[in-house]
Amino acid sequence: MDNKTVYLNGQYLPLDEAKISVMDRGFLFGDGIYEVIPSYSGLLFHFSEHMKRLENSLSSIRLVNPHDRAQWLAILTPLLDTSLDQSIYLQITRGVAATRDHAFPANVTPTVFAMCSDIAPFANQDSGVKAISIDDSRWELCNVKATTLLANILLRQQAVEKGCAEAILVKDGYVTEGAASNIFAVIDGILITPPQGSEILPGITRDVILEIARQNNIPYSEDIIALDALKTASEIWLTSSTREIVPVVQLDNEIIANGKPGPVWKTMNRLFQAYKQSRP
């Protein structure tokens, strides 16, 4: 195991020395939230937007933010290598309580953990990946980036066991998102992604793609996508902070279009690569 330096509750220390109490509510209940922030050449990408999502997640679970944005930047920056593309994983739990009780404990200090990992190029980005559609069995607060990810894990594992890279989740006949990604589709020449709401995570990469589409006159819409409509799409993409934009070329054993990444993806990926180098 790479014994890299991590941050835990005010200290920078080797990973193998980072320890938390078994009474931490993150361990006992999954009572916490997390954030993943890409970094290119030592600059945190869309830091303010990631902080806004972090603040919204904390507010949703009624956990006071232990630091302001300037303090977070000061905490996270020493973990970065300016010569690499990396991602920060930041987790905040409600902290350690004296007893195991579902009710919020009084006067506890949040546990704050952060580590940095290299972003490895996604092996199949240029050729595309396979996906399956599965009923969305998760809870009703999917917009909260909570650490309670068991439902996502089980759904993603079903995809992996069928040789697929992702599970595309469906609720009442409509696509929500991937188990660990947002989803886009090109249908009748329009780039479409499901609208913001409690059923999807407010993805930062998702928002960047919409901004790029707007700036480059690529027709787009935030609208519901029926599973039946998705299966007629000429292109399907999965997006996330660490995988960026991944084309899906096969869904439920059916080939999408000609089975290769489409022209809109090629344009968007080129624009995205230029965009991420032009600004933090």
Side-chain angles (χ1 to χ4, degrees), residues 9-187:
N9 295 335
Q11 290 184 297
Y12 296 94
L13 68 169
L15 178 59
D16 65 2
E17 296 179 17
K19 304 290 188 294
I20 64 166
S21 168
V22 295
M23 296 301 291
D24 190 284
R25 287 178 62 89
F27 175 73
L28 292 175
F29 296 109
D31 186 2
I33 62 93
Y34 74 104
E35 187 60 46
V36 178
I37 313 173
S39 170
Y40 303 111
S41 301
L43 295 175
L44 291 167
F45 185 66
H46 276 251
F47 176 73
S48 294
E49 288 80 358
H50 281 280
M51 285 293 103
K52 182 178 180 181
R53 185 169 68 178
L54 176 81
E55 292 156 4
N56 288 341
S57 292
L58 287 168
S59 176
S60 294
I61 69 166
R62 296 163 61 187
L63 181 54
V64 175
N65 194 340
H67 300 293
D68 62 30
R69 292 186 182 184
Q71 290 171 328
W72 280 124
L73 187 60
I75 288 169
L76 300 177
T77 298
L79 298 172
L80 300 171
D81 185 329
T82 58
S83 67
L84 297 173
D85 290 347
Q86 299 175 301
S87 66
I88 289 284
Y89 176 84
L90 171 60
Q91 179 170 308
I92 307 166
T93 77
R94 205 171 303 276
V96 178
T99 60
R100 184 184 182 278
D101 190 329
H102 286 65
F104 293 171
N107 303 317
V108 294
T109 301
T111 296
V112 176
F113 171 73
M115 65 179 178
C116 189
S117 301
D118 295 347
I119 296 178
F122 186 63
N124 297 316
Q125 186 176 44
D126 292 333
S127 58
V129 300
K130 300 177 183 178
I132 59 172
S133 60
I134 305 177
D135 285 343
D136 192 343
S137 60
R138 302 170 302 165
W139 69 331
E140 296 297 326
L141 294 175
C142 297
N143 57 310
V144 178
K145 207 164 175 65
T147 58
T148 46
L149 290 172
L150 182 58
N152 298 66
I153 290 168
L154 294 174
L155 292 165
R156 178 72 168 273
Q157 185 61 25
Q158 288 186 57
V160 170
E161 290 172 355
K162 293 185 177 181
C164 297
E166 183 61 298
I168 294 174
L169 309 182
V170 181
K171 182 171 290 187
D172 300 325
Y174 293 91
V175 174
T176 52
E177 58 185 351
S181 58
N182 290 116
I183 187 167
F184 284 80
V186 178
I187 301 175

Side-chain angles (χ1 to χ4, degrees), residues 189-209:
I190 307 295
L191 180 63
I192 306 174
T193 192
Q196 299 279 31
S198 63
E199 294 181 341
I200 74 166
L201 180 72
I204 306 302
T205 303
R206 170 193 180 277
D207 291 346
V208 169
I209 289 171

